Amino acid sequence: MNSSAYQWPDGKKAAAIVSIDFDGPSPYLWATRERPTTALGELELRRFGPRQGVHRLLELFASFDLRISAYVPGAVADAHPDVLAAMLEAGHEVAIHGYMHEKVSELNTEELRAVLEKSARALEKVGAERPFGYRSPSWELTAEALGVLAEFGIAYDSSLMGYDHPYVMSGIVEVPVQWQLDDAIFYRYVPGSNWPPVTPGEVISGWKTDLEGAKRFGSLFMLTMHPWLSGRAGRTLALASLFDEYRSDDSIWWTTAREVAEYHRLTYGDMHDEQPRIGEI
Ligand SMILES: [Zn+2]
């Protein structure tokens, strides 16, 4: 199965999914769980996401009539039920992203099972319905974790990069991500590092090239943004220019990860089920 062989519905040349990882401060709280600090800087930086960034992005999506896929840690859903209700009301997909953004490779299978159950309950509490899609925090997975996800009955996973169109791994539909379509690698500034964030114009220009590439090679353009990063004023404005140019392009299927996973399952079934081979080329 190579990329040029992938057929999108209705003769579309490519699929595009806009996704957000609505993390708030959860990754920081998980990373510092054993040694909590009293420092406010990083917490406030990330709290900008739920306070302002997410609203700005949701308004932008609404203005372009875009339905997106939102990956939401259960703790964030518990803390911001109003935002989650607004997402569901707007027709966006809400999917699992851990409870406190737990790194899967640091959990045993029992712990992962408990986290999935707790996350699903939090999303159900705000009105979302099973089966949920899943995106692993920090995009890390293990062979054991794939087994737990399958047993849990998730609709699909969106954490791996083995192809740039949907595929199947261990019986689970994978709706793949790509690092260069993740805002964090361009916009996340780590204080003290000698690495200034990339300007919004450069980032959006790169993403436009990726969209053209997706059309040329028939691949999936999976954009991943974090409201605390992409919800900043100039970045949101630059993002609008991408939608201005491409949202009405009829050769692109603008959709959600859940719909792409359903399409793949119906069209390709379990064809070419990849196995999680470790230690092999
Ligand atoms: Zn995340």
Side-chain angles (χ1 to χ4, degrees):
M1 182 182 252
N2 61 49
S3 191
S4 58
Y6 201 85
Q7 299 293 315
W8 296 106
D10 307 322
K12 301 283 185 191
K13 288 185 189 159
I17 299 168
V18 175
S19 72
I20 60 171
D21 291 2
F22 185 32
D23 292 337
S26 63
Y28 180 74
L29 295 174
W30 167 254
T32 58
R33 67 196 181 283
E34 275 160 17
R35 274 187 297 157
T37 77
T38 56
L40 271 175
E42 178 89 9
L43 279 173
E44 284 291 290
L45 172 66
R46 290 174 177 270
R47 281 176 183 147
F48 171 82
R51 286 182 189 149
Q52 283 195 281
V54 75
H55 301 286
R56 205 168 273 164
L57 290 175
L58 289 176
E59 275 170 32
L60 182 72
F61 303 148
S63 72
F64 283 94
D65 193 23
L66 261 177
R67 283 178 309 116
I68 64 137
S69 297
Y71 299 91
V72 187
V76 178
D78 278 343
H80 302 282
D82 48 331
V83 179
L84 270 290
M87 282 180 187
L88 291 165
E89 175 70 29
H92 300 311
E93 175 192 358
V94 170
I96 294 178
H97 193 46
Y99 185 80
M100 191 57 83
H101 211 271
E102 299 88 351
K103 230 182 197 169
V104 165
S105 53
E106 293 175 24
L107 303 177
N108 63 36
T109 52
E110 287 296 290
E111 289 166 334
L112 178 57
R113 265 186 212 109
V115 162
L116 287 171
E117 199 42 64
K118 199 174 172 190
S119 311
R121 276 202 304 271
L123 298 189
E124 280 176 326
K125 211 159 72 188
V126 293
E129 287 172 16
R130 297 191 199 209
F132 294 114
Y134 178 77
R135 172 171 287 167
S136 64
S138 309
W139 288 347
E140 192 49 272
L141 272 181
T142 63
E144 294 74 25
L146 281 167
V148 175
L149 291 173
E151 174 195 292
F152 185 74
I154 59 141
Y156 67 87
D157 174 65
S158 179
S159 317
L160 298 173
M161 310 187 200
Y163 289 89
D164 60 11
H165 56 66
Y167 64 107
V168 173
M169 171 153 270
S170 283
I172 296 174
V173 175
E174 178 63 38
V175 183
V177 291
Q178 303 191 35
W179 276 120
Q180 84 279 10
L181 295 175
D182 180 336
D183 64 352
I185 67 165
F186 305 110
Y187 288 157
R188 187 177 167 213
Y189 172 67
V190 179
S193 71
N194 191 15
W195 186 83
V198 181
T199 61
E202 280 178 84
V203 173
I204 299 300
S205 159
W207 288 349
K208 287 178 182 174
T209 304
D210 274 293
L211 257 176
E212 286 298 330
K215 284 166 63 174
R216 168 68 179 75
F217 295 103
S219 59
L220 169 67
F221 175 89
M222 165 64 91
L223 192 57
T224 300
M225 296 180 292
H226 300 76
W228 68 279
L229 294 167
S230 278
R232 292 287 172 183
R235 295 167 177 175
T236 307
L237 185 67
L239 182 62
S241 82
L242 182 141
F243 297 144
D244 266 334
E245 202 171 326
Y246 287 97
R247 174 65 180 99
S248 54
D249 183 333
D250 283 341
S251 67
I252 300 171
W253 181 29
W254 289 92
T255 184
T256 62
R258 189 202 303 260
E259 284 169 10
V260 165
E262 280 166 8
Y263 169 77
H264 186 82
R265 181 68 80 194
L266 279 171
T267 313
Y268 288 91
D270 282 336
M271 202 193 297
H272 302 285
D273 187 353
E274 301 284 350
Q275 295 307 308
R277 294 174 296 136
I278 305 290
E280 293 173 45
I281 290 179

